[in-house]
Amino acid sequence: MVEPRGTLILIPAYNEEAAIGAVVREVRTLMPELPVLVVDDGSSDGTATLARAAGAKVLSLPCHLGLGGCVQAGYRLAYELGYDEVVRIDGDGQHDPNYIPLLLETLRRSGCEMAIGVRKGAKGGYNTSLPRRIGIECFRLLLRPILGRPVSDPTSGFVAVNRRALEVFARSFPLEYPEIETLVVLQRRRFRFVEVACPVRPRLAGKSTITPFRSFYYVIHVLLGVFVNVLRLNPRRAVRAVGETFDD
Amino acid sequence: MIELFDILTVLSVLLLLVVLRAIRREHIRVEYSVSWLGAALALLLLSRSGPWLNAAAARIGIHDPALLLLALILIVFLGVFYRFSRIVSELKDMNITLTQRVAILEFLLKERDEQA
């Protein structure tokens, strides 16, 4: 039995040496009491060294797994170490750590398993490209009937999860482009999520990995992933799963 | 048609030899060679079963037995590809789990050393 250990800040990073130090320092300055774990996804640059120098613990993956594998490694470690909550933010500086307390407070108050920092409706705007906005809008329309409720920003990587979700994600997590599929995984378990409006900032450095060429593959991959997860939806099993989790 | 069968015989024997050579040189593990050896033997059998193919094609209503031969070859190789897709998927899952486990163990060891 592991001891409860509070909240962990999780930052997946791949070749983010230009931004990771500043991101870690900002989080550490705002919340010095919270440990920061950078999961280095086999970077070929100085990401791990700079993150460590800025005060983060670094989980170094021996080879590049992609975003899903990288985040899941962090979730697995957090679960094994007994953390009750994990807040995931990106390593490029787009997410404002000032909103972490609000995200955590909403997670606790709502009793939901996941709180999502959505980029829509916040003061800082929603500065993403038009094709990507269109894609996100399509995913929103697709997810609405599956989730039985609207979702504002299904591709946001700014999330807080509690231990119940952590337990599930430590065992099963989508490997590529995980954000959208994660919502369907939550639905399979009859878990709930809540949204918190958080403005995004420009990246400190680097570019999105989803280039125009890759976006086609992204859409197909995500649609297939969602479809497979919908096929796995089993109401009887889901109800049992909730019972098991709440009994713990 | 007879020439096609002969070409197929040569190709299947070549495939058999290539796979056996790869096993001997340890380029392919024995357990993963089974599908290829099975495919090569299936092709060899097909190439030597002209009368049966003609009869089967006539019975199904295919005018050209070569089309039936092509369809059967396709089925054999689809089976091989499907099996390898499953194997690759399983290996990728295991690889990811192992990579994560190695990283976590290294992390915990470092933590313990730092605390000691």
Side-chain angles (χ1 to χ4, degrees):
Chain A
M1 186 70 187
V2 284
E3 292 293 316
R5 293 182 72 161
T7 305
L8 176 76
I9 308 293
L10 172 68
I11 309 177
Y14 177 61
N15 288 343
E16 293 280 10
E17 70 174 2
I20 195 70
V23 172
V24 172
R25 271 191 297 276
E26 190 178 5
V27 175
R28 299 277 298 149
T29 307
L30 288 167
M31 284 150 286
E33 74 283 5
L34 296 186
V36 178
L37 177 74
V38 170
V39 185
D40 176 30
D41 191 13
S43 298
S44 54
D45 63 6
T47 298
T49 311
L50 290 166
R52 212 170 275 123
K57 300 278 184 189
V58 178
L59 175 65
S60 288
L61 298 176
C63 56
H64 182 59
L65 290 185
L67 182 60
C70 173
V71 173
Q72 192 190 28
Y75 283 152
R76 277 193 166 158
L77 180 62
Y79 181 72
E80 287 178 19
L81 291 178
Y83 282 99
D84 300 309
E85 296 156 333
V86 171
V87 179
R88 179 198 146 190
I89 68 168
D90 284 352
D92 57 12
Q94 274 196 308
H95 300 141
D96 187 345
N98 281 297
Y99 284 81
I100 290 175
L102 177 63
L103 209 58
L104 281 170
E105 190 196 322
T106 311
L107 178 76
R108 290 166 192 159
R109 205 182 51 229
S110 65
C112 292
E113 280 73 22
M114 183 159 93
I116 307 173
V118 299
R119 292 168 283 189
K120 194 175 178 180
K123 277 184 186 173
Y126 192 21
N127 52 354
T128 189
S129 64
L130 182 66
R132 201 165 171 187
R133 271 192 190 187
I134 293 169
I136 290 169
E137 200 59 40
C138 292
F139 286 130
R140 285 181 57 207
L141 291 172
L142 172 78
L143 285 170
R144 186 171 182 150
I146 297 169
L147 303 177
R149 57 158 290 183
V151 53
S152 308
D153 186 9
T155 62
S156 174
F158 189 23
V159 297
V161 297
N162 67 10
R163 190 153 174 86
R164 286 193 294 270
L166 201 55
E167 182 187 5
V168 172
F169 293 156
R171 274 189 277 121
S172 168
F173 197 70
L175 291 176
E176 274 187 275
Y177 315 123
E179 290 85 5
I180 295 172
E181 282 182 58
T182 301
L183 295 172
V184 188
V185 171
L186 285 173
Q187 176 70 12
R188 274 173 47 202
R189 305 285 301 200
R190 289 279 193 271
F191 284 178
R192 293 168 304 142
F193 63 88
V194 62
E195 297 182 325
V196 181
C198 302
V200 285
R201 307 180 297 192
R203 289 168 185 276
L204 290 176
K207 286 187 290 186
S208 171
T209 52
I210 304 170
T211 57
F213 181 73
R214 273 193 176 182
S215 56
F216 180 71
Y217 172 73
Y218 173 83
V219 170
I220 299 294
H221 191 289
V222 171
L223 286 177
L224 191 61
V226 169
F227 178 65
V228 168
N229 274 292
V230 168
L231 286 181
R232 290 176 182 160
L233 282 173
N234 181 341
R236 282 167 60 194
R237 191 177 155 208
V239 169
R240 240 190 353 256
V242 170
E244 282 165 10
T245 310
F246 282 112
D247 284 345
D248 284 347
Chain B
M1 190 63 191
I2 292 169
E3 281 176 2
L4 183 67
F5 280 134
D6 290 341
I7 291 169
L8 189 61
T9 303
V10 173
L11 285 177
S12 55
V13 171
L14 270 177
L15 179 60
L16 210 58
L17 291 174
V18 166
V19 174
L20 288 172
R21 187 164 172 261
I23 298 169
R24 197 172 64 84
R25 293 185 166 197
E26 296 181 346
H27 292 166
I28 300 179
R29 293 182 65 85
V30 176
E31 59 267 35
Y32 299 132
S33 69
V34 175
S35 298
W36 287 119
L37 292 174
L41 285 174
L43 291 185
L44 191 60
L45 279 175
L46 281 174
S47 70
R48 295 294 93 196
S49 53
W52 178 84
L53 263 179
N54 287 332
R59 188 165 182 172
I60 299 168
I62 299 173
H63 296 297
D64 192 349
L67 285 176
L68 179 62
L69 180 66
L70 195 68
L72 291 172
I73 291 171
L74 197 67
I75 289 168
V76 167
F77 280 101
L78 281 178
V80 172
F81 291 142
Y82 175 73
R83 182 171 138 73
F84 281 113
S85 290
R86 287 192 61 160
I87 290 170
V88 168
S89 298
E90 277 174 30
L91 288 175
K92 180 165 182 179
D93 284 346
M94 285 192 270
N95 237 335
I96 287 167
T97 306
L98 276 174
T99 304
Q100 292 175 339
R101 180 57 39 203
V102 166
I104 288 171
L105 288 175
E106 271 184 357
F107 178 90
L108 294 175
L109 278 173
K110 271 184 198 164
E111 286 281 290
R112 202 185 61 174
D113 288 348
E114 279 171 16
Q115 282 170 6

